[in-house]
Amino acid sequence: MQSDDDSPQADGQSLLRVAGARRTFLTPEGSAVRALDGVDLNIRPNEFLTLLGPSGCGKTTLLRAIAGFEDLDGGRLELEGRSLEDVPPHRRPFNTVFQSYALFPHLDARDNVGYGLDAARVPRAERERRVDEALALVGLSELGRRRPRQLSGGQQQRVALARALVNRPRLLLLDEPLSALDRGLRQAMQIELKNLQHTVGITFVVVTHDQEEALTMSDRIAVMRAGRILQLGPPGRIYDTPADRFVARFVGDSNVHAGRVAAVSARGALITLDEGFELHAEGTGFAPGEAVDAMLRPERLMLAREPGAGPALQAVVERVVFVGADVQVHLRLPGGAALRALHRHLPGAEPPPNVGGQAFIRYEPAAVHLMRSAP
Amino acid sequence: MSGALSARRRRALAGLLAPHSLLLAAFFVVPLAIMAVYSVLTPGLYGGVEWEFYPYGYGRVLGAPLGEVEEFDPVYGEILLRSLRLALTTVVVTLLLCYPAAFWVSRLPPRRRALVLFLVTLPFFANLIVRVYAWMLILRPTGVLNQLLGLAGLPAADLMFSETAVVIGLCYVLLPFMFLPLYAAVERLDPALVQASRDLGAGALFTFRRVILPLTAPGILGGCILVFIPAFGNFVVASLLGGAKVMLVGNLIEQQFLAARNWPFGAALAMLLLAAVLVLLVVYVVRTPHPEGVR
């Protein structure tokens, strides 16, 4: 998975470089937790980068270290080649949108937005103009005199965004910015955040545990686990060619099965899975005998009553779950392996197979993605 | 508040509030009314009052030109001013001691925080007079303080029966009343707000002035009021640590009732003390910007 993202030529367009970042916390019980375990990351100018991972993977620690609220035990942070080691948070040209928004309850929206300008002693007239612009940017021009308490969750979030953007930071850090919003608003804000990032031309670094959010908004995603970055790349590449079974399972729905490469030929590879079935894959640089994890996305499996020209697996339909646009079909192979397939739910299309009945799972060898075997 | 309460809820409310209201009426409003009436009556020969209008107790303090029998004496005004000065000093000293301490305590791990809060309230378990006597043992010329100063090779300090001793005593007695409301306000302050301020480019001083101070103002105000009122009227500390040299209005009132047996004059002084506290409180509350948006 080593891609151009980490190649030397990418250094030329690095805004912030994280090198070997390490941070260990002591729990109250006295055990050590490695929140950051050697993180390397190049953040490029004007990109929308998402740090994605389950809770406790270190993504928030990394964000806070960039903001300056956490010290690193080891490694470096460099802004355009200059070390940030001795730069306190208030001297870093970054601004944060906090998860709780952290709006000042005793100031109205205007004064919240103007806070950073006041701290920087921006002259009165310019301050007023920039506050107006920032409020207009997030569509809150009419509500400038409201206190945070008098604003809805979505409006508070916009104030928090305006308060950060008004300072024209080099880097905007957003900590789970949409987690407090309800589903409809969250989806609208995903698009809006992306548009906003385009408009203002500022680098956004967003922390989230929501893979759908990450896929929707990001130029690049860094998938994190246990203090490390497992994979870094554009959403499409992360989705289609995950680096390992953890990434495959965390991003999107997937069938992942452990096995071994049985044979490699010019046409592709034959994989025998531990659960007693075989898959045909395209040749992907694994040698015979090597342990691999094979991934199949459910939407790339086709269900049919007959085996076709290509490879197919025979299975029993165990359950059919209606999930809206699609029908999710749970299948069981003779050897006991469970697979899920998506059956597009269109008018006039073939109905989903009956529960308890037999079905053939057809797939393209190109749809089988092989990954390094992970524990 | 929306709409009128239903008759049933109103009856329930009256029933719940009755014991408290009766208690306040019997033990607070009635005695206060008695004092107000006594303050304008004629002193009885052996204490008590005679039922004849006689407002000259006020004249002695305020200088109303009524004095045939009781003459205006500026000493009473001086005593009031001294009481005010020492009470304000006590407020300032306890505030300066407790504000940083409150921040320190609020950042302790929960178990140690509970311990510190327990220690702060510990003095309430011992009698006030005993505790103030302990300070006499510390401050008197041959006391603990001077012994320690002697060991350190420093000159002895003669603090006993001085205003300093009274302020030390008042601060010691009233410290918890300043600490607890301050701590409550500081603990409610969301650390994320301080981080947000730093993140937005504000230095420590700007953050303090614009975020920490306004958001903890209710606690500061509460602590100041809770310390000021008892400090202004206190007489135990002044009589033990200040002696005859530092007479406060509280001692004066005590004297009028117990020694001079001039109940109306004592009552008039008490009324003036009450009026002074009320005026200061009203000024303070009105002039302090209302911290809206602070929960």
Side-chain angles (χ1 to χ4, degrees), chain A residues 126-159:
Chain A
E126 190 194 340
R127 177 218 195 249
E128 294 300 307
R129 184 177 54 73
R130 281 170 67 178
V131 169
D132 285 335
E133 280 173 12
L135 283 172
L137 188 69
V138 296
L140 284 182
S141 298
E142 310 300 317
L143 300 179
R145 284 298 164 213
R146 295 252 187 111
R147 294 273 175 98
R149 257 207 314 202
Q150 302 165 303
L151 297 168
S152 70
Q155 289 165 341
Q156 288 183 27
Q157 147 129 72
R158 285 155 195 268
V159 174

mmCIF file of all heavy atoms in Angstrom, chain A residues 126-159:
data_model
loop_
_atom_site.group_PDB
_atom_site.id
_atom_site.type_symbol
_atom_site.label_atom_id
_atom_site.label_comp_id
_atom_site.label_asym_id
_atom_site.label_seq_id
_atom_site.Cartn_x
_atom_site.Cartn_y
_atom_site.Cartn_z
ATOM 1 N N GLU A 126 -11.542 46.844 11.158
ATOM 2 C CA GLU A 126 -11.230 45.597 10.465
ATOM 3 C C GLU A 126 -11.847 44.416 11.183
ATOM 4 O O GLU A 126 -12.346 43.476 10.560
ATOM 5 C CB GLU A 126 -9.706 45.424 10.369
ATOM 6 C CG GLU A 126 -9.317 44.276 9.454
ATOM 7 C CD GLU A 126 -7.867 43.857 9.600
ATOM 8 O OE1 GLU A 126 -7.070 44.656 10.095
ATOM 9 O OE2 GLU A 126 -7.545 42.716 9.209
ATOM 10 N N ARG A 127 -11.822 44.473 12.522
ATOM 11 C CA ARG A 127 -12.415 43.386 13.308
ATOM 12 C C ARG A 127 -13.888 43.219 12.946
ATOM 13 O O ARG A 127 -14.343 42.109 12.671
ATOM 14 C CB ARG A 127 -12.279 43.699 14.797
ATOM 15 C CG ARG A 127 -12.942 42.662 15.691
ATOM 16 C CD ARG A 127 -13.609 43.335 16.883
ATOM 17 N NE ARG A 127 -13.947 42.369 17.933
ATOM 18 C CZ ARG A 127 -15.207 42.032 18.236
ATOM 19 N NH1 ARG A 127 -16.223 42.560 17.579
ATOM 20 N NH2 ARG A 127 -15.449 41.177 19.208
ATOM 21 N N GLU A 128 -14.615 44.344 12.933
ATOM 22 C CA GLU A 128 -16.052 44.279 12.642
ATOM 23 C C GLU A 128 -16.287 43.702 11.250
ATOM 24 O O GLU A 128 -17.167 42.866 11.040
ATOM 25 C CB GLU A 128 -16.684 45.672 12.747
ATOM 26 C CG GLU A 128 -16.678 46.233 14.164
ATOM 27 C CD GLU A 128 -17.447 45.353 15.136
ATOM 28 O OE1 GLU A 128 -18.620 45.042 14.846
ATOM 29 O OE2 GLU A 128 -16.854 44.948 16.166
ATOM 30 N N ARG A 129 -15.469 44.155 10.290
ATOM 31 C CA ARG A 129 -15.652 43.696 8.916
ATOM 32 C C ARG A 129 -15.402 42.184 8.813
ATOM 33 O O ARG A 129 -16.185 41.447 8.213
ATOM 34 C CB ARG A 129 -14.687 44.465 7.997
ATOM 35 C CG ARG A 129 -14.840 44.150 6.510
ATOM 36 C CD ARG A 129 -13.909 44.993 5.648
ATOM 37 N NE ARG A 129 -12.502 44.907 6.035
ATOM 38 C CZ ARG A 129 -11.736 43.843 5.818
ATOM 39 N NH1 ARG A 129 -12.244 42.771 5.234
ATOM 40 N NH2 ARG A 129 -10.472 43.824 6.205
ATOM 41 N N ARG A 130 -14.322 41.735 9.456
ATOM 42 C CA ARG A 130 -14.001 40.306 9.350
ATOM 43 C C ARG A 130 -15.002 39.439 10.096
ATOM 44 O O ARG A 130 -15.318 38.322 9.664
ATOM 45 C CB ARG A 130 -12.580 40.055 9.852
ATOM 46 C CG ARG A 130 -11.553 40.441 8.787
ATOM 47 C CD ARG A 130 -10.136 40.453 9.303
ATOM 48 N NE ARG A 130 -9.634 39.132 9.664
ATOM 49 C CZ ARG A 130 -8.394 38.921 10.104
ATOM 50 N NH1 ARG A 130 -7.553 39.934 10.212
ATOM 51 N NH2 ARG A 130 -8.003 37.710 10.415
ATOM 52 N N VAL A 131 -15.529 39.950 11.229
ATOM 53 C CA VAL A 131 -16.561 39.197 11.943
ATOM 54 C C VAL A 131 -17.807 39.083 11.061
ATOM 55 O O VAL A 131 -18.409 37.997 10.946
ATOM 56 C CB VAL A 131 -16.900 39.868 13.297
ATOM 57 C CG1 VAL A 131 -18.147 39.247 13.906
ATOM 58 C CG2 VAL A 131 -15.724 39.743 14.265
ATOM 59 N N ASP A 132 -18.176 40.195 10.392
ATOM 60 C CA ASP A 132 -19.324 40.157 9.482
ATOM 61 C C ASP A 132 -19.118 39.114 8.395
ATOM 62 O O ASP A 132 -20.003 38.310 8.104
ATOM 63 C CB ASP A 132 -19.532 41.535 8.830
ATOM 64 C CG ASP A 132 -20.153 42.523 9.807
ATOM 65 O OD1 ASP A 132 -20.827 42.059 10.744
ATOM 66 O OD2 ASP A 132 -19.954 43.743 9.632
ATOM 67 N N GLU A 133 -17.923 39.137 7.799
ATOM 68 C CA GLU A 133 -17.622 38.180 6.725
ATOM 69 C C GLU A 133 -17.724 36.737 7.211
ATOM 70 O O GLU A 133 -18.330 35.893 6.551
ATOM 71 C CB GLU A 133 -16.196 38.396 6.203
ATOM 72 C CG GLU A 133 -16.053 39.548 5.230
ATOM 73 C CD GLU A 133 -14.586 39.806 4.891
ATOM 74 O OE1 GLU A 133 -13.733 38.951 5.229
ATOM 75 O OE2 GLU A 133 -14.321 40.864 4.306
ATOM 76 N N ALA A 134 -17.138 36.501 8.389
ATOM 77 C CA ALA A 134 -17.114 35.126 8.898
ATOM 78 C C ALA A 134 -18.525 34.641 9.211
ATOM 79 O O ALA A 134 -18.881 33.497 8.913
ATOM 80 C CB ALA A 134 -16.232 35.038 10.140
ATOM 81 N N LEU A 135 -19.343 35.523 9.801
ATOM 82 C CA LEU A 135 -20.713 35.117 10.119
ATOM 83 C C LEU A 135 -21.507 34.882 8.836
ATOM 84 O O LEU A 135 -22.326 33.963 8.754
ATOM 85 C CB LEU A 135 -21.402 36.168 10.990
ATOM 86 C CG LEU A 135 -20.988 36.161 12.465
ATOM 87 C CD1 LEU A 135 -21.573 37.357 13.194
ATOM 88 C CD2 LEU A 135 -21.424 34.867 13.142
ATOM 89 N N ALA A 136 -21.250 35.720 7.814
ATOM 90 C CA ALA A 136 -21.946 35.533 6.540
ATOM 91 C C ALA A 136 -21.528 34.210 5.895
ATOM 92 O O ALA A 136 -22.350 33.494 5.324
ATOM 93 C CB ALA A 136 -21.636 36.704 5.603
ATOM 94 N N LEU A 137 -20.248 33.877 6.031
ATOM 95 C CA LEU A 137 -19.724 32.639 5.440
ATOM 96 C C LEU A 137 -20.464 31.406 5.959
ATOM 97 O O LEU A 137 -20.730 30.464 5.218
ATOM 98 C CB LEU A 137 -18.229 32.526 5.777
ATOM 99 C CG LEU A 137 -17.424 31.426 5.109
ATOM 100 C CD1 LEU A 137 -17.275 31.712 3.634
ATOM 101 C CD2 LEU A 137 -16.051 31.307 5.767
ATOM 102 N N VAL A 138 -20.816 31.425 7.257
ATOM 103 C CA VAL A 138 -21.508 30.270 7.830
ATOM 104 C C VAL A 138 -23.015 30.508 7.916
ATOM 105 O O VAL A 138 -23.745 29.730 8.530
ATOM 106 C CB VAL A 138 -20.960 29.908 9.235
ATOM 107 C CG1 VAL A 138 -19.509 29.487 9.129
ATOM 108 C CG2 VAL A 138 -21.114 31.078 10.198
ATOM 109 N N GLY A 139 -23.483 31.624 7.303
ATOM 110 C CA GLY A 139 -24.921 31.867 7.224
ATOM 111 C C GLY A 139 -25.575 32.248 8.526
ATOM 112 O O GLY A 139 -26.708 31.873 8.801
ATOM 113 N N LEU A 140 -24.846 33.007 9.375
ATOM 114 C CA LEU A 140 -25.411 33.384 10.673
ATOM 115 C C LEU A 140 -25.444 34.899 10.869
ATOM 116 O O LEU A 140 -25.479 35.361 12.003
ATOM 117 C CB LEU A 140 -24.604 32.753 11.807
ATOM 118 C CG LEU A 140 -24.810 31.273 12.084
ATOM 119 C CD1 LEU A 140 -23.969 30.849 13.275
ATOM 120 C CD2 LEU A 140 -26.268 30.960 12.357
ATOM 121 N N SER A 141 -25.470 35.657 9.779
ATOM 122 C CA SER A 141 -25.400 37.111 9.897
ATOM 123 C C SER A 141 -26.479 37.682 10.816
ATOM 124 O O SER A 141 -26.252 38.657 11.524
ATOM 125 C CB SER A 141 -25.549 37.745 8.510
ATOM 126 O OG SER A 141 -24.490 37.317 7.688
ATOM 127 N N GLU A 142 -27.640 37.051 10.829
ATOM 128 C CA GLU A 142 -28.770 37.616 11.583
ATOM 129 C C GLU A 142 -28.673 37.319 13.076
ATOM 130 O O GLU A 142 -29.388 37.924 13.867
ATOM 131 C CB GLU A 142 -30.093 37.026 11.066
ATOM 132 C CG GLU A 142 -30.265 37.079 9.557
ATOM 133 C CD GLU A 142 -30.231 38.504 9.045
ATOM 134 O OE1 GLU A 142 -30.863 39.353 9.706
ATOM 135 O OE2 GLU A 142 -29.568 38.776 8.033
ATOM 136 N N LEU A 143 -27.833 36.365 13.460
ATOM 137 C CA LEU A 143 -27.889 35.865 14.833
ATOM 138 C C LEU A 143 -26.688 36.294 15.671
ATOM 139 O O LEU A 143 -26.427 35.732 16.720
ATOM 140 C CB LEU A 143 -27.994 34.335 14.830
ATOM 141 C CG LEU A 143 -29.223 33.771 14.122
ATOM 142 C CD1 LEU A 143 -29.218 32.250 14.162
ATOM 143 C CD2 LEU A 143 -30.505 34.307 14.748
ATOM 144 N N GLY A 144 -25.974 37.344 15.208
ATOM 145 C CA GLY A 144 -24.740 37.743 15.873
ATOM 146 C C GLY A 144 -24.893 38.149 17.315
ATOM 147 O O GLY A 144 -23.961 38.025 18.100
ATOM 148 N N ARG A 145 -26.069 38.615 17.701
ATOM 149 C CA ARG A 145 -26.256 39.101 19.070
ATOM 150 C C ARG A 145 -26.776 38.036 20.018
ATOM 151 O O ARG A 145 -27.087 38.299 21.168
ATOM 152 C CB ARG A 145 -27.180 40.329 19.080
ATOM 153 C CG ARG A 145 -26.481 41.592 18.593
ATOM 154 C CD ARG A 145 -25.307 41.965 19.499
ATOM 155 N NE ARG A 145 -24.405 42.925 18.869
ATOM 156 C CZ ARG A 145 -23.087 42.923 19.094
ATOM 157 N NH1 ARG A 145 -22.533 42.034 19.877
ATOM 158 N NH2 ARG A 145 -22.326 43.825 18.504
ATOM 159 N N ARG A 146 -26.918 36.814 19.515
ATOM 160 C CA ARG A 146 -27.408 35.738 20.385
ATOM 161 C C ARG A 146 -26.258 35.143 21.184
ATOM 162 O O ARG A 146 -25.157 34.988 20.688
ATOM 163 C CB ARG A 146 -28.036 34.627 19.542
ATOM 164 C CG ARG A 146 -29.283 35.043 18.798
ATOM 165 C CD ARG A 146 -30.505 34.412 19.418
ATOM 166 N NE ARG A 146 -31.681 34.673 18.601
ATOM 167 C CZ ARG A 146 -32.304 33.726 17.921
ATOM 168 N NH1 ARG A 146 -31.859 32.493 17.951
ATOM 169 N NH2 ARG A 146 -33.386 34.024 17.226
ATOM 170 N N ARG A 147 -26.593 34.766 22.408
ATOM 171 C CA ARG A 147 -25.648 34.006 23.220
ATOM 172 C C ARG A 147 -25.676 32.534 22.793
ATOM 173 O O ARG A 147 -26.703 32.077 22.294
ATOM 174 C CB ARG A 147 -26.058 34.078 24.698
ATOM 175 C CG ARG A 147 -25.963 35.470 25.296
ATOM 176 C CD ARG A 147 -24.563 35.697 25.824
ATOM 177 N NE ARG A 147 -24.407 37.072 26.289
ATOM 178 C CZ ARG A 147 -24.516 37.432 27.560
ATOM 179 N NH1 ARG A 147 -24.812 36.536 28.469
ATOM 180 N NH2 ARG A 147 -24.333 38.677 27.924
ATOM 181 N N PRO A 148 -24.572 31.792 23.029
ATOM 182 C CA PRO A 148 -24.548 30.380 22.626
ATOM 183 C C PRO A 148 -25.770 29.595 23.111
ATOM 184 O O PRO A 148 -26.305 28.777 22.381
ATOM 185 C CB PRO A 148 -23.270 29.853 23.277
ATOM 186 C CG PRO A 148 -22.381 31.040 23.336
ATOM 187 C CD PRO A 148 -23.277 32.231 23.566
ATOM 188 N N ARG A 149 -26.199 29.871 24.347
ATOM 189 C CA ARG A 149 -27.354 29.158 24.897
ATOM 190 C C ARG A 149 -28.613 29.320 24.058
ATOM 191 O O ARG A 149 -29.521 28.513 24.107
ATOM 192 C CB ARG A 149 -27.644 29.713 26.294
ATOM 193 C CG ARG A 149 -27.203 28.846 27.416
ATOM 194 C CD ARG A 149 -28.060 29.086 28.623
ATOM 195 N NE ARG A 149 -28.244 30.521 28.880
ATOM 196 C CZ ARG A 149 -28.578 31.009 30.062
ATOM 197 N NH1 ARG A 149 -28.731 30.196 31.063
ATOM 198 N NH2 ARG A 149 -28.766 32.297 30.231
ATOM 199 N N GLN A 150 -28.692 30.470 23.328
ATOM 200 C CA GLN A 150 -29.896 30.758 22.559
ATOM 201 C C GLN A 150 -29.798 30.226 21.133
ATOM 202 O O GLN A 150 -30.648 30.549 20.310
ATOM 203 C CB GLN A 150 -30.127 32.277 22.524
ATOM 204 C CG GLN A 150 -30.256 32.884 23.914
ATOM 205 C CD GLN A 150 -30.118 34.396 23.890
ATOM 206 O OE1 GLN A 150 -29.118 34.937 23.425
ATOM 207 N NE2 GLN A 150 -31.130 35.074 24.382
ATOM 208 N N LEU A 151 -28.740 29.456 20.850
ATOM 209 C CA LEU A 151 -28.550 28.920 19.496
ATOM 210 C C LEU A 151 -28.728 27.400 19.518
ATOM 211 O O LEU A 151 -28.445 26.749 20.520
ATOM 212 C CB LEU A 151 -27.141 29.253 18.993
ATOM 213 C CG LEU A 151 -26.822 30.734 18.841
ATOM 214 C CD1 LEU A 151 -25.330 30.928 18.626
ATOM 215 C CD2 LEU A 151 -27.600 31.352 17.685
ATOM 216 N N SER A 152 -29.183 26.853 18.390
ATOM 217 C CA SER A 152 -29.317 25.397 18.279
ATOM 218 C C SER A 152 -27.930 24.772 18.126
ATOM 219 O O SER A 152 -26.943 25.471 17.903
ATOM 220 C CB SER A 152 -30.166 25.060 17.073
ATOM 221 O OG SER A 152 -29.448 25.357 15.892
ATOM 222 N N GLY A 153 -27.874 23.448 18.229
ATOM 223 C CA GLY A 153 -26.595 22.750 18.108
ATOM 224 C C GLY A 153 -25.899 23.056 16.786
ATOM 225 O O GLY A 153 -24.701 23.319 16.744
ATOM 226 N N GLY A 154 -26.666 23.051 15.699
ATOM 227 C CA GLY A 154 -26.087 23.326 14.387
ATOM 228 C C GLY A 154 -25.575 24.752 14.280
ATOM 229 O O GLY A 154 -24.518 25.013 13.686
ATOM 230 N N GLN A 155 -26.316 25.680 14.881
ATOM 231 C CA GLN A 155 -25.885 27.083 14.843
ATOM 232 C C GLN A 155 -24.637 27.279 15.695
ATOM 233 O O GLN A 155 -23.721 28.012 15.310
ATOM 234 C CB GLN A 155 -27.017 27.984 15.344
ATOM 235 C CG GLN A 155 -28.183 28.066 14.371
ATOM 236 C CD GLN A 155 -29.432 28.655 14.999
ATOM 237 O OE1 GLN A 155 -29.576 28.691 16.218
ATOM 238 N NE2 GLN A 155 -30.346 29.126 14.169
ATOM 239 N N GLN A 156 -24.590 26.609 16.849
ATOM 240 C CA GLN A 156 -23.396 26.712 17.698
ATOM 241 C C GLN A 156 -22.177 26.214 16.939
ATOM 242 O O GLN A 156 -21.099 26.795 17.005
ATOM 243 C CB GLN A 156 -23.585 25.882 18.961
ATOM 244 C CG GLN A 156 -24.572 26.484 19.922
ATOM 245 C CD GLN A 156 -24.688 25.670 21.195
ATOM 246 O OE1 GLN A 156 -23.754 24.989 21.599
ATOM 247 N NE2 GLN A 156 -25.834 25.737 21.838
ATOM 248 N N GLN A 157 -22.376 25.119 16.202
ATOM 249 C CA GLN A 157 -21.272 24.565 15.437
ATOM 250 C C GLN A 157 -20.762 25.566 14.395
ATOM 251 O O GLN A 157 -19.562 25.698 14.164
ATOM 252 C CB GLN A 157 -21.759 23.307 14.756
ATOM 253 C CG GLN A 157 -21.084 23.117 13.440
ATOM 254 C CD GLN A 157 -20.509 21.771 13.323
ATOM 255 O OE1 GLN A 157 -21.245 20.833 13.179
ATOM 256 N NE2 GLN A 157 -19.239 21.673 13.429
ATOM 257 N N ARG A 158 -21.714 26.297 13.770
ATOM 258 C CA ARG A 158 -21.314 27.284 12.768
ATOM 259 C C ARG A 158 -20.555 28.441 13.410
ATOM 260 O O ARG A 158 -19.596 28.968 12.842
ATOM 261 C CB ARG A 158 -22.544 27.851 12.058
ATOM 262 C CG ARG A 158 -23.122 26.881 11.063
ATOM 263 C CD ARG A 158 -24.588 27.170 10.837
ATOM 264 N NE ARG A 158 -25.218 26.049 10.164
ATOM 265 C CZ ARG A 158 -25.328 25.952 8.844
ATOM 266 N NH1 ARG A 158 -24.878 26.929 8.079
ATOM 267 N NH2 ARG A 158 -25.885 24.913 8.306
ATOM 268 N N VAL A 159 -20.992 28.827 14.620
ATOM 269 C CA VAL A 159 -20.259 29.886 15.332
ATOM 270 C C VAL A 159 -18.834 29.412 15.613
ATOM 271 O O VAL A 159 -17.865 30.152 15.413
ATOM 272 C CB VAL A 159 -20.975 30.271 16.651
ATOM 273 C CG1 VAL A 159 -20.134 31.261 17.443
ATOM 274 C CG2 VAL A 159 -22.349 30.857 16.357
#
